[in-house]
Amino acid sequence: MSIPSEPKDTDNMHASREQLVDITSLKETLVHAVSPVPAVRAALAAASNVLDEQFKQGEDVRKLVAGRAIFMDQILSLLWSRFSWAETDDISLIAVGGYGRGELHPYSDIDLLILSKTEFSDQYRENISSFVTLLWDLRLDIGQSARTMDECITAAREDVTIATNLLETRTISGNEDLRQELHQHVYSDEIYTDRAYFLAKRDEQRQRHEKYGDTEYNLEPNLKASPGTLRDIQTIGWITKRHFGTSYVTELSSHQFLTDEELSTLRDGETFLWRMRYGLQMLAKRNENRLLFDHQRALARLLGYSNSDKKLAVEAMMKEYYRVVLALAELTDVILQYFDEAILRESEEIETTPLNKRFQIRGRYIEAINTGVFAYAPYALLEVFLLTAQNPQIKGFRASTIRAIRAHRHLINDEFRHNITNISLFMEILKTPHPLHQTLSYMKRYNILGRYLPEFGQVVGQMQHDLFHIYTVDAHTLRVIKNMIEFRHPESQERYPLATRLIKRLPKLELIYIAGLYHDIAKGRGGDHSDLGAADAEVFCKKHRLSERDTQLVAWLVKHHLLMSITAQKKDTQDPEVIHQFAREVPSHVHLDYLYVLTVADISATNPTLWNTWRSTLLRQLYLEAKRALRRGVDNPIDRNDWIEATKQEALQILLEQDFKKRDVMKLWKMLEDDYFLQDSTTEIAWQTAAIMTHGRSQEPLILIRDILGSGKNSHTQIMIYVRSRIDLFAATTAVLEQLNLNIVDARISSSFGPFSLSSFIILDENSQSLAQDPSRKERIRQRLFDELDDPEDYPSIISRRTPRQLKMFAFPTEVTFSNDTINQRTVMEVITPDRPGLLARVGLVLLKHNISLVNAKIATLGERVEDVFFITDDNGDPLSNAQVCQALQYDICKQLDENLKGELYL
């Protein structure tokens, strides 16, 4: 539904229409034209230019949208009149759907129905075909159908979408009586009963919301289809029209359906979204409803937003967008709950169950017995959510109760927040076993959570311009808590085996929930959000009467919530010193358990694509190694040489059991540097050693692929490459793997004193899964690597090939930083850049140019942002010590990676 202006506004719309083009002159031109296409195209372009210029000057978007529709009516009527139709008035050209409502955005669909009372004659069919072809020649985005009255009725019965399109119609040309007759059918029970139509549209809305993650806070929302946007407004309108037969929403107040304030919220919200959609389509020059990052900054400028000291223009625009859609979502709840009773339960006797003196359950909805309860007992503003948490049969809030909450939420002030009753109620909500994320979502939607926790209110609608978060801070936070809740469900065990086990032994679940609530709460303030969030969390805990021990645990979790993910993804976790340094940061086994659960919940809530089998393996390995280190005691770290010797002995025992000779094994191992025995597990060392020894003295490349199974379905695919050593081997190998559309998530290059190089790559497919279920693809990969790497003279051409994979680009300048690992005598180079095809091969090419040796690499792709860490040495095997070399390397990597991004950098 649109929310049409009052009829008196029609004069203004017509005034707008008269300023577009001279229709009379156009009509005269068409009389003498062989083809109407050139003249009509010119008229359409001229009208669009006028309307777009008026939009830039701040004209009322409602007039522009209506004016474009009226102008299109005139064009279509002129074109329709070029064809011969019988004078029996048995055919009409009718606008339906959004165009039928009198709305047309710059590139919106133009939905048409050609309606006939009886079967179409051959002449009519020929005319219709020519008419539609003409519209296509004009490059109009047409949606059209030609049906008889009976065919319309049948189609509407079979498809609720067609029935909905036919609720909103206008006659452009032809017999208006046909449309009126169709209108009578569509609004009768002959096609859909009131009840059936409501159920169909409610189910349709639920499915659409699920498609968009059931959140209003996607960072790239769809202005038409995301929760709280135009489709929700339209759904309310369709149900309203079918139920009341009302043409104008302004009439709904007479049905005591909407308050004046709610009507204003609905109308103002639609106007705001219309302006965004109109501007978006102007910029995109197509029928675009997705508010992609590519358009957000330009749209903010077009709509008049400007940068301030505290906020970018785009952040101000998106903050207002989220505020509007949250208000619309709240209002949708009220309206649909009203319809649930008015339509579905009109003749039912609704069961009422008292909860206490203030609240009752009425037809599975919680209801305030007296809507004035919040005035004389403000604590009920929290109590109502606690009762909802304690009674799982409640599926929502009565419309009258939502309105009462909205009318009294201003009572939540500092005095309210420090009241011991309210503090106890909020803590009870956190402690009650139930889907906590749902309760907190209700509290956020009705603006209770942000008022009770003002620090949370500050991040409602807070964008995160970091490429891998796909939700605002508040939406991400509630998804973290949702993940924690789901870790307790058996169905999560397969995807999160360790987290589901650990969460069951956490002493106090409310502590992990508080940490989840506060881990990102300080984003957007400036400064380190982990430190600032930890301070906020400590204040919360003390105010809510947590013990000193629990307070320190929560504050520590918030302060260090990134520690585990950074260590696992950016450091060599098979180096005992890295494990020791990590373990020193963790006070106890309990802290480690809490931190692991928080980390997994956080990663999975950031972006569904980020949690994959390899990240699961990395975090699990780090957790287990840290647990062993804590058991030993952080003051008793394992000696590096002892670790190497123990690794060799364990691997040797495996090989001896396979009938390999000790002297042959030791001879091979002498060719490998000590770092090799720090990097890999003993079973992996034994596997690689056995393969090389079996390969013998062959000069051909040795390529082996295997799947490494973790717990549950967590697995990944490993490729081992033993080939004659060349400095450009890494660049060539990564180029081949990327050309095969494989994601490299880890790379290890083991230095050798001999002529051969041993490399190991962990790969996943384009869906971040192992290749375990695709043996034929693994064989194709093995053969391709063999064919490409057997002749080193081919490496330069391999590296220079284009990678076919296409990725959406959200550009920003590449960052390259260096630090030295004095313990392992190597330089750590971190590269942060947008993901793009062939990235690792390009980095390898730069390393080759500077004669830099790659020892190890940790590959981390976060959404479309890459944060890769390379462990490198100079050609003598020493860390880089010359600042000029580092500067030249930094310059060349940035130049190589950013050369294709000129003009696209998202600064």
Side-chain angles (χ1 to χ4, degrees):
M1 168 196 74
S2 83
I3 304 168
S5 301
E6 293 285 347
K8 63 184 179 183
D9 290 342
T10 305
D11 294 338
N12 292 327
M13 296 180 199
H14 280 278
S16 177
R17 175 198 65 189
E18 294 300 329
Q19 298 168 11
L20 299 182
V21 296
D22 187 339
I23 293 295
T24 302
S25 175
L26 176 61
K27 186 174 183 178
E28 292 174 356
T29 300
L30 295 183
V31 170
H32 305 290
V34 176
S35 169
V37 172
V40 174
R41 274 190 190 170
L44 289 169
S48 287
N49 289 337
V50 171
L51 290 168
D52 291 352
E53 187 58 36
Q54 289 177 355
F55 180 80
K56 293 176 184 177
Q57 298 302 318
E59 180 60 273
D60 182 356
V61 70
R62 292 184 173 278
K63 292 183 179 180
L64 301 180
V65 168
R68 190 183 297 272
I70 292 169
F71 174 70
M72 188 58 65
D73 290 353
Q74 295 172 321
I75 294 294
L76 292 175
S77 182
L78 280 177
L79 297 176
W80 181 262
S81 67
R82 292 177 64 85
F83 298 91
S84 297
W85 310 100
E87 296 182 1
T88 56
D89 287 334
D90 60 351
I91 192 168
S92 291
L93 178 65
I94 297 174
V96 298
Y99 180 40
R101 292 192 299 270
E103 300 169 12
L104 206 57
H105 285 264
Y107 291 89
S108 292
D109 295 339
I110 302 168
D111 293 328
L112 299 172
L113 168 66
I114 299 171
L115 179 63
S116 174
K117 192 168 186 63
T118 58
E119 289 292 331
F120 294 101
S121 67
D122 291 342
Q123 180 62 50
Y124 275 13
R125 292 184 187 280
E126 184 178 335
N127 286 353
I128 291 168
S129 177
S130 298
F131 176 69
V132 172
T133 300
L134 177 56
L135 300 185
W136 288 343
D137 290 342
L138 290 169
R139 299 171 188 165
L140 296 177
D141 196 353
I142 295 295
Q144 53 80 31
S145 61
R147 294 189 176 105
T148 65
M149 185 71 69
D150 289 341
E151 288 171 343
C152 278
I153 294 169
T154 300
R157 284 175 182 154
E158 294 173 351
D159 189 336
V160 71
T161 302
I162 294 175
T164 298
N165 266 352
L166 297 179
L167 285 176
E168 298 164 318
T169 57
R170 291 180 302 109
T171 300
I172 297 172
S173 189
N175 185 358
E176 163 67 7
D177 290 343
L178 286 179
R179 190 193 70 82
Q180 290 289 350
E181 182 180 343
L182 177 63
H183 180 87
Q184 295 299 320
H185 288 294
V186 170
Y187 278 82
S188 72
D189 290 349
E190 177 184 2
I191 291 179
Y192 271 91
T193 65
D194 204 7
R195 177 188 179 88
Y197 186 76
F198 173 72
L199 288 172
K201 300 312 290 185
R202 190 178 67 177
D203 289 346
E204 184 182 86
Q205 183 189 66
R206 185 177 64 250
Q207 292 170 17
R208 176 169 48 81
H209 285 192
E210 287 175 356
K211 178 181 176 181
Y212 291 95
D214 274 322
T215 179
E216 298 82 14
Y217 291 108
N218 289 300
L219 293 186
E220 292 183 300
N222 187 306
L223 297 177
K224 187 176 180 180
S226 290
T229 56
L230 292 170
R231 187 63 84 205
D232 280 359
I233 299 174
Q234 291 160 2
T235 298
I236 292 170
W238 294 325
I239 297 170
T240 301
K241 288 183 178 183
R242 181 62 188 81
H243 183 60
F244 289 118
T246 302
S247 298
Y248 291 93
V249 139
T250 46
E251 298 174 27
L252 293 180
S253 58
S254 64
H255 295 281
Q256 298 182 338
F257 172 64
L258 290 178
T259 66
D260 291 342
E261 179 187 358
E262 289 167 343
L263 178 60
S264 177
T265 297
L266 205 59
R267 185 179 174 84
D268 291 347
E270 184 184 58
T271 302
F272 175 82
L273 292 172
W274 273 14
R275 280 190 57 76
M276 293 191 81
R277 188 184 185 202
Y278 194 109
L280 176 61
Q281 292 192 5
M282 274 181 59
L283 293 171
K285 300 187 183 304
R286 64 178 183 272
N287 187 9
E288 180 63 87
N289 295 300
R290 298 166 303 160
L291 191 51
L292 303 176
F293 288 129
D294 298 347
H295 302 305
Q296 287 181 9
R297 292 187 180 241
L299 181 60
R301 289 193 296 271
L302 179 62
L303 296 181
Y305 293 90
S306 58
N307 295 338
S308 68
D309 293 339
K310 293 185 178 181
K311 195 171 291 184
L312 296 174
V314 64
E315 293 174 335
M317 178 187 74
M318 295 306 296
K319 188 95 172 179
E320 185 171 2
Y321 164 82
Y322 295 125
R323 180 188 62 77
V324 167
V325 297
L326 186 63
L328 289 173
E330 177 186 310
L331 188 53
T332 299
D333 282 354
V334 172
I335 295 171
L336 292 184
Q337 194 275 327
Y338 171 88
F339 278 129
D340 183 83
E341 289 195 6
I343 298 175
L344 295 187
R345 307 175 194 282
E346 183 180 14
S347 59
E348 293 181 15
E349 184 174 337
I350 300 176
E351 181 180 354
T352 300
T353 305
L355 293 173
N356 58 28
K357 294 180 180 180
R358 292 167 295 281
F359 296 99
Q360 62 187 11
I361 301 174
R362 184 178 175 83
R364 296 189 64 190
Y365 289 87
I366 193 167
E367 177 183 58
I369 296 172
N370 177 351
T371 55
V373 64
F374 301 114
Y376 65 79
Y379 64 84
L381 287 165
L382 290 179
E383 182 188 28
V384 65
F385 295 99
L386 176 59
L387 290 170
T388 303
Q390 293 172 338
N391 294 274
Q393 70 272 31
I394 296 174
K395 71 172 188 177
F397 296 73
R398 285 268 294 165
S400 59
T401 303
I402 297 173
R403 285 169 168 155
I405 290 171
R406 189 166 62 222
H408 294 91
R409 58 194 176 198
H410 67 278
L411 297 175
I412 302 177
N413 52 24
D414 280 342
E415 181 182 352
F416 181 100
R417 297 182 196 105
H418 286 86
N419 184 290
I420 187 60
T421 299
N422 299 327
I423 287 171
S424 300
L425 285 168
F426 189 75
M427 284 305 300
E428 197 61 32
I429 291 172
L430 296 181
K431 292 178 180 180
T432 298
H434 78 291
L436 175 62
H437 58 287
Q438 292 181 8
T439 301
L440 294 179
S441 293
Y442 279 132
M443 294 178 72
K444 184 189 80 169
R445 172 167 289 194
Y446 303 142
N447 200 9
I448 297 300
L449 187 59
R451 287 176 178 269
Y452 182 71
L453 301 176
E455 57 271 33
F456 184 85
Q458 290 179 27
V459 297
V460 171
Q462 175 69 47
M463 295 183 69
Q464 304 188 75
H465 282 296
D466 54 16
L467 304 187
F468 52 94
H469 282 89
I470 65 170
Y471 305 110
T472 56
V473 177
D474 55 315
H476 163 72
T477 297
L478 295 187
R479 285 182 172 272
V480 169
I481 294 174
K482 178 183 180 183
N483 286 338
M484 293 171 178
I485 298 295
E486 291 181 347
F487 288 164
R488 296 180 60 80
H489 299 166
E491 53 267 28
S492 296
Q493 188 169 351
E494 191 172 82
R495 183 168 171 80
Y496 306 103
L498 184 55
T500 55
R501 193 160 67 247
L502 292 181
I503 199 166
K504 293 173 184 175
R505 71 186 196 201
L506 297 184
K508 297 178 181 178
L509 285 174
E510 66 270 20
L511 301 186
I512 195 72
Y513 299 150
I514 297 169
L517 198 56
Y518 275 84
H519 79 287
D520 276 352
I521 208 159
K523 280 193 170 180
R525 295 188 204 169
D528 188 322
H529 79 279
S530 298
D531 289 337
L532 296 173
D536 283 354
E538 186 171 354
V539 170
F540 172 91
C541 291
K542 288 180 177 178
K543 185 169 76 174
H544 287 76
R545 310 298 198 269
L546 271 68
S547 69
E548 182 62 24
R549 180 177 181 275
D550 290 347
T551 297
Q552 293 307 313
L553 171 57
V554 171
W556 182 89
L557 285 169
V558 175
K559 182 179 177 65
H560 294 90
H561 73 273
L562 296 174
L563 173 64
M564 198 167 205
S565 59
I566 289 175
T567 302
Q569 294 177 143
K570 294 189 177 183
K571 297 184 179 181
D572 186 356
T573 53
Q574 296 191 14
D575 184 334
E577 182 58 31
V578 170
I579 298 299
H580 178 65
Q581 290 175 356
F582 172 77
R584 288 185 69 89
E585 297 285 339
V586 182
S588 70
H589 289 276
V590 171
H591 285 73
L592 181 63
D593 289 350
Y594 273 104
L595 181 60
Y596 180 86
V597 171
L598 176 60
T599 301
V600 174
D602 188 16
I603 293 174
S604 297
T606 297
N607 185 326
T609 64
L610 288 186
W611 185 254
N612 56 36
T613 57
W614 180 239
R615 281 197 176 87
S616 174
T617 300
L618 288 177
L619 285 172
R620 185 174 183 275
Q621 289 176 346
L622 178 56
Y623 172 84
L624 294 175
E625 292 297 336
K627 188 175 180 180
R628 293 188 190 103
L630 289 171
R631 192 179 295 125
R632 280 195 309 268
V634 293
D635 293 327
N636 298 299
I638 190 167
D639 181 78
R640 176 187 172 92
N641 292 328
D642 290 346
W643 180 292
I644 292 171
E645 187 58 33
T647 300
K648 286 182 176 180
Q649 290 302 316
E650 190 173 324
L652 178 61
Q653 186 60 40
I654 297 172
L655 290 164
L656 292 176
E657 291 173 359
Q658 298 175 16
D659 295 329
F660 289 98
K661 301 293 189 231
K662 179 177 179 178
R663 76 171 174 277
D664 295 335
V665 173
M666 301 309 292
K667 181 179 178 181
L668 173 61
W669 283 355
K670 283 182 180 179
M671 305 296 290
L672 299 168
E673 292 188 345
D674 284 348
D675 278 357
Y676 173 72
F677 299 96
L678 290 175
Q679 293 179 8
D680 301 300
S681 69
T682 55
T683 55
E684 188 167 323
I685 290 171
W687 172 65
Q688 292 180 348
T689 302
I692 294 170
M693 294 180 69
T694 302
H695 191 60
R697 297 181 179 274
S698 173
Q699 300 298 302
E700 291 184 343
L702 172 62
I703 314 289
L704 295 178
I705 303 179
R706 69 170 184 170
D707 297 301
I708 302 175
L709 298 177
S711 51
K713 282 192 174 180
N714 291 327
S715 63
H716 49 274
T717 300
Q718 180 183 21
I719 299 177
M720 169 189 154
I721 300 174
Y722 185 67
V723 67
R724 187 165 292 277
S725 183
R726 280 203 25 149
I727 196 167
D728 54 355
L729 176 61
F730 174 78
T733 305
T734 54
V736 173
L737 294 175
E738 289 176 324
Q739 288 157 17
L740 289 168
N741 204 22
L742 297 170
N743 294 317
I744 303 169
V745 296
D746 193 69
R748 297 186 183 280
I749 292 82
S750 298
S751 302
S752 168
F753 297 112
F756 287 85
S757 172
L758 174 60
S759 304
S760 176
F761 295 87
I762 302 297
I763 61 164
L764 298 172
D765 67 13
E766 56 273 17
N767 298 313
S768 296
Q769 301 298 317
S770 78
L771 305 181
Q773 305 302 317
D774 197 347
S776 61
R777 186 178 184 186
K778 285 187 287 188
E779 177 55 29
R780 291 195 301 272
I781 293 168
R782 191 200 68 78
Q783 190 61 50
R784 174 76 177 273
L785 286 167
F786 183 91
D787 293 342
E788 299 281 23
L789 300 181
D790 67 338
D791 186 355
E793 298 305 316
D794 293 340
Y795 290 4
S797 65
I798 294 171
I799 296 167
S800 63
R801 288 182 201 149
R802 292 180 61 85
T803 300
R805 185 161 44 123
Q806 297 295 313
L807 291 173
K808 185 175 75 172
M809 194 65 69
F810 184 156
F812 62 93
T814 295
E815 301 174 26
V816 180
T817 57
F818 297 92
S819 61
N820 278 333
D821 178 355
T822 56
I823 294 174
N824 293 300
Q825 289 297 294
R826 57 194 182 185
T827 296
V828 180
M829 179 180 75
E830 182 173 12
V831 178
I832 301 176
T833 188
D835 193 13
R836 87 273 329 255
L839 187 149
L840 289 177
R842 295 186 195 189
V843 174
L845 197 60
V846 176
L847 296 179
L848 171 64
K849 173 184 173 182
H850 290 271
N851 291 319
I852 300 297
S853 297
L854 180 65
V855 178
N856 191 5
K858 300 282 284 186
I859 313 301
T861 303
L862 309 171
E864 293 168 26
R865 175 189 178 101
V866 166
E867 297 184 3
D868 292 346
V869 179
F870 301 89
F871 301 90
I872 57 178
T873 65
D874 61 19
D875 52 1
N876 295 317
D878 297 321
L880 307 187
S881 57
N882 188 321
Q884 291 181 337
V885 171
C886 291
Q887 289 174 359
L889 185 58
Q890 179 188 54
Y891 174 82
D892 283 351
I893 288 177
C894 291
K895 181 180 178 182
Q896 176 70 235
L897 298 183
D898 291 346
E899 63 180 353
N900 295 325
L901 303 182
K902 291 178 181 177
E904 298 179 14
L905 293 181
Y906 197 95
L907 299 173

